[in-house]
Structures are given as C-alpha cells and as structure tokens.
C-alpha cells in the first residue's frame, strides 16, 4: 500500500513512559494516506495490539526491519474508503472465511490486511481470489452461524463450549499420538521429532490460554453485556481497561499460530509418506482438523469478539463503584 510523507521517529530516545503516548500523537496527527516509521531496539508488537484496540482498523503496519539489533515499522493512517480487510470480510460472511482458509489466506492473526495485501503475502492472484469469493456467494448462507450478529455473551459461551472443549478433549490424544509416531518413524522421518515437540508446546499454550479467557476475560465481557443490557453500571475490572487482556490474548494467538504453521510446514501440509502406518495417517488427519479449528477459533476472537468488546467498553464507559 502506497504511503506518502513518511518520516522516522526514533523511540529509543523517548522516555519509556512517554513512548506510546508520543507514537499515538504522531499517528493522530497523520493525514489519511500518510505514514511514519518508528525505530526501536526491540519488537514493538505490543504497540500494534494497543493501536488495534484503541484506534481500530484505521492503520497499516509493515515491518521494514526485524532485528536482531533494530526494528523499524512503518505505521500509516488508512483512507476513509480503504478496501475491507480480510478479517472484516471473513467476519461478515462465514462462506468467505472458508474460502480464505482453503486458499491459505491468513484472516486470523493478520486479519487487518486488505485482500490485495493478504494475496501478496500468500503468493496468490487477487483476481482469482475475488472470483472464488464471488462464486461462494451462490452457495446457501449459513444463517445459524452469523457470528458477527451474535450477542457477545452468547459468542463467549459458544467459543468455550465448542472450541475450548474441542482443544481440551483432543490435546491429550494429539500429544500421545505424536509421541508414538515419532518413536516409531522418527529415524526415517526426523521431522516427526520436531512435530511432536511443537504439538506439546502448542497444546500446552492453548490450554493455558483458555484458562485465562474463561477465568478473566470472558466473565468480564459477559458482565459488561449484562450491565449494558440492563442499563446498569459495571465494576471497574482489576486488570484496568479490557484492552489489556485483549492485547495479551492476541499475542498468545500469534504464538499458537506460529507453532501451528511450524507443524504444517514440517509435515508438508500433512502429506503422509508411503511408509506411513495407520497411526501416522491418523496423526496427520487430527492435526489437519486441529489447524482448521484453531484458525476458526482465533478468527472469532480477533475479528469479532475482541473488537466488539473493546468498542462496547468505550461506548458504555467503565464505572468505578
């Protein structure tokens, strides 16, 4: 995406307490279509989530340099009539989310990109993707799963009862199966050893992540919805604004997505070799299913639940009692 009038801000020269306020000030002063770059001595990814939470889908974020000593990121202000992001497209139509998933377009952790940007990253022809999106509109719409129209408390319950339960039930099976297959075929297929390690890390991360959501974030979202529905004030949460845990959860999503991609790549897209046994085939089948569920899970939270919860908090305000 073309950006004009770019200048650089060296945030290493700014006192820690003033870094984010200064960056936000620079962003707010940008004209639509303009950008600036920040130079930092560490990955400023937390700033990305703070911008997303506080400014919504109004900015672009592009790494120009990623370590090991310096990180440079170009931050731009989108124009009012920017094309829809892939996250917004997927959130509005579940049929199109399936197209993205099938074609390998990341609409979950990087759902803030335009279709052209996402196609470029996935090495796809944008015209072919648009054609596939148009064709899928002919299919019957899933009226039962218009997730973007659901009440947020209902969506929280759905995520827990469908996706969290699935992860809890399948994780022990995946760990045991990956260890078994690695032990049996690891000599001829050493990638199975790394897959087994990644599976252990991924499932452990997911289970820990779900506990944080179920004990901290989701109860607050549900209480906030209840208070708004009843036109009553709600308690100030112990973690401050809801944007804080949302940022943490989105960072968790990035880590789980990286682990999932490592498994996908190491398995060559879950292609079972000729000497693979039934357990081998079952493992790859289960991993493929787990990946599909994971991306749908992240999509519901990153593109629908979290942005709407942040917006609801801003609209209703947090009342300290």
């Amino acid at each position: 995406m073309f950006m004009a009038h770019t200048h650089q801000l060296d945030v290493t020269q700014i006192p820690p307490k003033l870094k984010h306020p200064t960056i936000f000030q620079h962003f707010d002063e940008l004209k639509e279509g303009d950008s600036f770059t920040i130079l930092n001595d560490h990955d400023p990814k937390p700033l990305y989530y703070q911008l997303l939470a506080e400014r919504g889908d109004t900015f672009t974020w592009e790494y120009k340099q990623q370590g090991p000593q310096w990180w440079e990121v170009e931050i731009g202000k989108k124009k009012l009539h920017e094309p829809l992001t892939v996250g917004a497209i997927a959130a509005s139509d579940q049929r199109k989310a399936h197209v993205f998933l099938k074609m390998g377009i990341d609409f979950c952790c990087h759902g803030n990109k335009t279709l052209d940007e996402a196609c470029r990253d996935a090495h796809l022809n944008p015209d072919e993707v648009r054609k596939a999106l148009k064709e899928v509109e002919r299919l019957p719409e899933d009226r039962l799963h218009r997730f973007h129209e659901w009440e947020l408390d209902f969506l929280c319950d759905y995520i827990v009862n469908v996706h969290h339960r699935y992860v809890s039930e399948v994780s022990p099976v995946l760990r045991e199966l990956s260890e078994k297959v690695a032990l049996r075929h690891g000599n001829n297929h050493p990638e199975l050893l790394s897959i087994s390690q990644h599976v252990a890390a991924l499932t452990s991360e997911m289970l820990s992540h779900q506990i944080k959501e179920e004990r901290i974030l989701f109860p607050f979202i549900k209480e906030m919805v209840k208070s708004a529905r009843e036109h009553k004030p709600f308690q100030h949460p112990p973690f401050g604004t809801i944007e804080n845990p949302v940022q943490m959860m989105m960072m968790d999503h990035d880590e789980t997505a990286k682990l999932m991609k490592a498994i996908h790549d190491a398995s060559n897209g879950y292609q079972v070799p000729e000497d693979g046994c039934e357990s081998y085939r079952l493992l790859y089948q289960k991993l493929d299913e787990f990946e599909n569920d994971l991306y749908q899970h992240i999509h519901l939270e990153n593109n629908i639940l979290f942005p709407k919860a942040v917006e609801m908090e801003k609209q209703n305000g947090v009342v300290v009692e």
Side-chain angles (χ1 to χ4, degrees), residues 21-22 32 53 69 88 91 105 147 150 201 206 208 210 212 219 231:
T22 302
E32 292 178 10
Q69 183 177 1
I105 292 177
F147 297 112
W150 288 6
M206 285 295 297
S208 173
Q210 293 179 175
K212 289 182 285 188
H231 304 288

Side-chain angles (χ1 to χ4, degrees), residues 265-282:
D265 293 347
S267 66
N268 191 27
Y270 312 116
Q271 296 296 315
V272 182
E274 293 183 359
D275 60 340
C277 63
E278 286 305 311
S279 293
Y280 207 134
R281 297 179 186 280
L282 179 61

Side-chain angles (χ1 to χ4, degrees), residues 83-94 96-97 100 111 114-115 133 299:
L84 286 176
T85 64
V86 289
I89 294 171
S92 65
D93 193 330
Q94 189 67 10
K96 295 179 180 179
F100 289 153
T114 66
L115 182 61
L133 293 174
H299 162 60

Side-chain angles (χ1 to χ4, degrees), residues 164-175:
H164 286 196
R165 177 178 294 182
Y166 170 78
V167 171
S168 298
E169 292 176 351
V170 173
S171 290
V173 177
L174 279 179
R175 285 197 297 264

Side-chain angles (χ1 to χ4, degrees), residues 155-164 218 297 300-301 305:
L155 183 55
C156 285
D157 287 339
Y158 176 87
I159 291 171
V160 170
N161 290 312
V162 174
H163 295 290
H164 286 196
F218 286 5
H297 182 175
L300 291 179
E301 295 185 0
L305 179 63

Side-chain angles (χ1 to χ4, degrees), residues 43-50 52 61 63 66 106-113 201-202 205-206 209 212-213 245-263 294-295 297-299 301-303 306:
D43 191 346
K45 198 60 178 286
L47 171 67
Y48 167 86
Y49 294 118
Q50 187 177 355
L52 187 63
W61 178 279
Y63 283 101
Q66 291 182 272
D106 183 359
F107 60 96
C108 304
C109 294
H110 296 93
N112 67 320
K113 295 184 177 181
L202 173 62
E205 173 67 25
M206 285 295 297
H209 173 85
K212 289 182 285 188
E213 288 186 333
V246 162
Q247 290 174 28
M248 292 177 61
M249 295 303 99
M250 294 181 73
M251 291 178 72
D252 284 354
H253 289 167
D254 272 1
E255 292 306 311
T256 55
K258 288 177 183 177
L259 288 168
M260 193 77 252
K261 186 179 187 305
I263 294 170
L294 175 64
Y295 291 145
H297 182 175
I298 294 176
H299 162 60
E301 295 185 0
N302 279 20
N303 297 326
F306 294 165

